[in-house]
Amino acid sequence: MITVNENFLKLQAGYLFPEINRRVAAFARTHPEASIIKMGIGDVTEPLAPAVVEAMHRAVDEMGKRDTLRGYGPEQGYAFLREAVVQNCYYSRGVNIEPDEVFISDGSKCDTGNLQEIFGLDNVVAVTDPVYPVYVDTNVMAGRTGAWDKTRGQYAGIVYMPCTAENGFVPELPDKPVDMIYLCYPNNPTGAVATVEQLKKWVDYARENKAIILYDAAYEAFITDGNIPHSIYEVDGARDVAIEFRSFSKTAGFTGVRCAYVVVPHSLKAGQKEGSSVDLHPIWSRRHCTKFNGASYISQAGAAAVYTEQGKKQIQEVIDLYMGNAAVMREALGKLGYAVYGGQNAPYIWVKTRNGMSSWEFFDLLLQKTHVVCTPGAGFGAAGEGYVRFSAFNLPDRVIEAMDRITKL
Ligand code: PLP
């Protein structure tokens, strides 16, 4: 009889967003008159920038003519986009990344989930707590995480690194050796950022322990503080130990278009059982080209337009709008006496509940009394208990309305 990959049976139900939807739907059924304001899920609300729309229209027209149509493109992405990426995201910040170190894809969810495939199953995985769940679940599927420990509410084989208000939501170095270290800054869900000095500790750790950092910079475009690094490669020595993920999803409203990239430097190495080491770049290239046939030409043409003069300006206007929302939320919730984190260099606000209220109790109270939906922090990990996340992706007048309702309550 065919057998199942039993690692999949170890997955804990991804119950956060389905459970939120269930509670919101139940509330809407009994309160059909309520105008519900959703500040839970992090999806964009502003349309694509006009420069992107024009570039995509042009690309569609090209595809509609025999002379200019594009069939299969390079699996790693078109040179025009890889070059625009290194010029605008790396050279411009004094970082040397070569175009052929950039692999274009159809999203960071896939990239962050797929990359673990090139590492041995005996590696120890370290994640922050709270965490973007994809890092954990894809390692569970691969069989790298051990059994679910009910009492801790965590996988026995994973090293969870608590991110708390005390450590500024940037984890301490682990007290036991780890090999694959997932870091995400600006962070989802806490909205925290990491300084060069904080990241340097991790780069040094990875160099000393021959570990790899998997750095998710999906929200780098929201950084407003000039001292905060946008890339792990702004830290000395990171090229030898870090892989970086970037996405056009939140930067340019591409959640429904799909385009992202991962940077795998030529200098990265990993060991073999017999002791010698191998280059990771050709291995990822082999993996990527075998399982992926390239992001759509239309998406890549749209993504390249993000780097035109018009594109940059238009995208910044949208980011400013979201960050304006974040400022409104920070101010309103702060005035009410809540401890409010994030929202200054990230589109997420992380709010501590009061009087020992749990994340879900706070969620229910807000839904019932103000018809505002947030995301319970406990859904991102044990250390998220007692927090909720508000997303700044919304229409400004809805954000003002939501904050008014919460203030009145
Ligand atoms: N990484 C983080 C931290 C995210 O929050 C998200 C989406 O919410 C992603 C990656 C996924 O991005 P993409 O839309 O490119 O798949």
Side-chain angles (χ1 to χ4, degrees), residues 138-331:
T138 53
N139 277 291
V140 173
M141 291 172 185
R144 210 176 270 115
T145 47
W148 178 249
D149 178 342
K150 260 197 209 138
T151 44
R152 285 194 310 150
Q154 296 178 337
Y155 288 97
I158 288 198
V159 175
Y160 290 85
M161 308 180 293
C163 290
T164 60
E166 288 69 47
N167 61 22
F169 304 100
V170 179
E172 318 298 341
L173 295 175
D175 49 15
K176 53 180 156 181
V178 297
D179 306 301
M180 294 162 62
I181 303 158
Y182 288 86
L183 296 177
C184 170
Y185 290 99
N187 187 258
N188 177 13
T190 65
V193 284
T195 62
V196 170
E197 294 71 37
Q198 286 169 315
L199 293 177
K200 178 86 172 96
K201 277 207 263 180
W202 282 98
V203 168
D204 290 346
Y205 174 91
R207 293 178 71 92
E208 277 154 29
N209 293 276
K210 296 190 170 16
I212 287 278
I213 297 171
L214 298 146
Y215 193 74
D216 187 342
Y219 296 97
E220 62 75 34
F222 295 84
I223 294 173
T224 54
D225 180 340
N227 293 319
I228 298 295
H230 287 235
S231 164
I232 184 99
Y233 303 120
E234 291 177 49
V235 178
D236 275 350
R239 268 190 63 93
D240 300 334
V241 289
I243 287 170
E244 180 161 291
F245 305 97
R246 295 261 188 119
S247 172
F248 293 93
S249 281
K250 311 296 162 82
T251 308
F254 271 47
T255 51
V257 175
R258 313 305 302 145
C259 198
Y261 57 91
V262 50
V263 178
V264 183
H266 286 295
S267 42
L268 289 180
K269 291 194 185 300
Q272 296 184 80
K273 287 218 169 68
E274 37 84 349
S276 62
S277 61
V278 290
D279 290 340
L280 285 176
H281 182 279
I283 295 179
W284 175 250
S285 183
R286 186 75 166 86
R287 153 60 182 81
H288 184 83
C289 298
T290 301
K291 293 198 179 179
F292 186 62
N293 241 348
S296 132
Y297 171 64
I298 300 163
S299 309
Q300 294 189 62
V306 167
Y307 300 117
T308 61
E309 209 177 307
Q310 280 302 308
K312 282 183 194 164
K313 196 170 145 276
Q314 292 162 358
I315 275 149
Q316 193 56 49
E317 281 166 12
V318 174
I319 290 173
D320 291 346
L321 178 144
Y322 293 136
M323 292 310 284
N325 289 342
V328 167
M329 289 150 71
R330 276 185 60 88
E331 198 192 325

